[in-house]
């Protein structure tokens, strides 16, 4: 195996995963702007529609992003990240005129344990971005896409997804269209931390508000009277300026698990080692020509001959609706409202599904 396989422990209530990825060369290619914020939330909403995992928190900085999501298997996470990072790369390149790669490497997906203290600590780490670097006084002041205000006020993020395929087809037909003729508005809601699902939405917002106040106080103490950079300078920074030595990116090894209890840490590492051992043995048998070895791969993995061991992927939802355009008797065009698609957060755990009968493996591209 050239690289370690992705691993999501089995958990009927879902597993909290911390996702992050950095722009190439640590450039500020994700520098906030109204248009980029709108595109980011639109891509996020469409990605959640294609692979409906649970979004817990999100912060998009100028050079990287962090995200907390709840997933049930690796296939669900892979489909989401493939759509999100791929479309973000295309939309950012279109917006700023960048034709090179956007992301510096594979995304980081770190499993967070189900300990309440650990989960709240990871949420605190995500929310304090922008404050700990001395860029703004509060997470609520960050000009980019940030979950702080949405979590405190209980309102969803808003953004537009643009169907570039329909735009291209209309352009080839020689048709004139406005920017939002093939757009869909997405309202992206947030789910609570898995360890806090027993809280009501009001209680959860109160705890997040208290957490943000603590972040603001800690940031003011650490600055010791020094002013923050401010929103104006954040929005005017050079996208292609390399970070200074004082702000060089970290190169520390990435943890596979974020866990506090030694016993739970040992259990997770044991499950991962068993998973990797079974995967390696099955991979060697499959690559040697034994096609029956496809059934020996552990559940939740992608074999080298690309098949996913587990339930078949749900069908891709149809293209989202776009505004209606009608032609009047006088020949003018009347454009309706941009349709809205709401991605709501989940508060109650779903009933566990009954196990399905084992199905034959499907080749990539073969419909379920």
């Amino acid at each position: 195996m050239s690289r370690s396989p992705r691993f999501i422990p089995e958990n009927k209530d879902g597993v909290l995963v911390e996702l992050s990825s950095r722009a190439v060369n640590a450039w500020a290619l994700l520098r906030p702007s109204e248009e980029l914020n709108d595109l980011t939330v639109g891509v996020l909403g469409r990605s959640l529609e294609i692979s409906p995992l649970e979004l817990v928190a999100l912060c998009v900085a100028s050079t990287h992003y962090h995200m907390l999501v709840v997933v049930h298997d690796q296939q669900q996470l892979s489909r989401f990240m493939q759509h999100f990072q791929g479309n973000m790369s295309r939309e950012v390149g279109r917006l700023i005129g960048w034709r090179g790669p956007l992301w510096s490497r594979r995304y980081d997906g770190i499993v967070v344990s189900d300990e309440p203290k650990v989960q709240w600590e990871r949420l605190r780490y995500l929310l304090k971005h922008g404050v700990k670097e001395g860029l703004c006084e509060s997470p609520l002041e960050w000009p980019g896409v940030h979950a702080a205000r949405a979590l405190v006020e209980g309102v969803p993020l808003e953004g537009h997804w643009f169907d570039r395929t329909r735009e291209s087809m209309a352009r080839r037909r020689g048709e004139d269209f406005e920017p939002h003729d093939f757009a869909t508005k997405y309202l992206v809601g947030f789910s609570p931390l898995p360890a806090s699902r027993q809280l009501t939405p009001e209680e959860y917002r109160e705890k997040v508000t208290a957490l943000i106040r603590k972040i603001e106080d800690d940031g003011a103490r650490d600055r010791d009277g020094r002013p923050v950079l401010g929103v104006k300078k954040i929005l005017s920074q050079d996208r292609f300026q390399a970070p200074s030595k004082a702000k060089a990116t970290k190169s520390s090894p990435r943890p596979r698990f974020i866990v506090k209890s030694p016993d739970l840490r040992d259990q997770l590492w044991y499950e991962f080692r068993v998973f990797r051992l079974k995967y390696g043995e099955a991979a060697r048998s499959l690559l040697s020509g034994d096609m029956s070895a496809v059934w020996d791969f552990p559940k939740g993995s992608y074999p080298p001959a690309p098949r996913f061991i587990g339930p078949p992927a749900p069908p891709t939802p149809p293209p989202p609706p776009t505004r209606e355009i009608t032609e009047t008797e006088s020949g003018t065009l009347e454009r309706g409202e941009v349709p809205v698609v709401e991605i709501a957060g989940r508060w109650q755990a779903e009933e566990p599904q009954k196990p399905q009968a084992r199905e034959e493996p499907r080749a990539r591209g073969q419909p379920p």
Side-chain angles (χ1 to χ4, degrees), residues 152-195:
V152 169
E153 299 178 356
V155 297
L157 300 176
E158 297 184 9
H160 288 85
W161 161 258
F162 296 88
D163 194 326
R164 303 302 183 186
T165 301
R166 292 182 181 176
E167 289 184 2
S168 177
M169 294 172 63
R171 193 178 297 112
R172 293 183 181 184
R173 291 192 300 264
E175 299 176 359
D176 293 331
F177 58 89
E178 293 186 357
H180 287 78
D181 285 352
F182 302 103
T184 305
K185 186 176 182 180
Y186 279 90
L187 305 179
V188 179
F190 290 89
S191 298
L193 290 167

Side-chain angles (χ1 to χ4, degrees), residues 184-257:
T184 305
K185 186 176 182 180
Y186 279 90
L187 305 179
V188 179
F190 290 89
S191 298
L193 290 167
S196 301
R197 287 176 178 163
Q198 75 281 2
L199 301 178
T200 65
E202 292 75 17
E203 293 172 339
Y204 189 76
R205 286 199 293 269
E206 290 178 0
K207 292 199 66 172
V208 174
T209 301
L211 184 64
I212 290 179
R213 292 198 186 109
K214 181 68 166 55
I215 292 173
E216 295 170 349
D217 295 341
D218 292 345
R221 185 189 67 248
D222 295 340
R223 289 193 303 273
D224 194 20
R226 296 187 300 272
V228 296
L229 185 64
V231 173
K232 186 176 181 180
K233 290 187 177 180
I234 292 174
L235 300 179
S236 63
Q237 60 184 320
D238 184 4
R239 293 187 186 274
F240 302 99
Q241 182 178 0
S244 62
K245 292 183 179 179
K247 298 181 180 180
T249 57
K250 299 179 181 179
S251 58
S252 56
R254 294 166 285 177
R256 184 167 293 276
F257 307 108

Side-chain angles (χ1 to χ4, degrees), residues 15-41:
V15 178
L16 184 66
V17 180
E18 181 176 343
L19 305 172
S20 63
S21 190
R22 187 178 300 276
V24 63
N25 295 333
W27 287 336
L29 300 179
L30 302 174
R31 187 188 68 193
S33 68
E34 290 186 6
E35 190 171 2
L36 180 58
N37 295 348
D38 183 72
L39 289 170
T40 301
V41 178

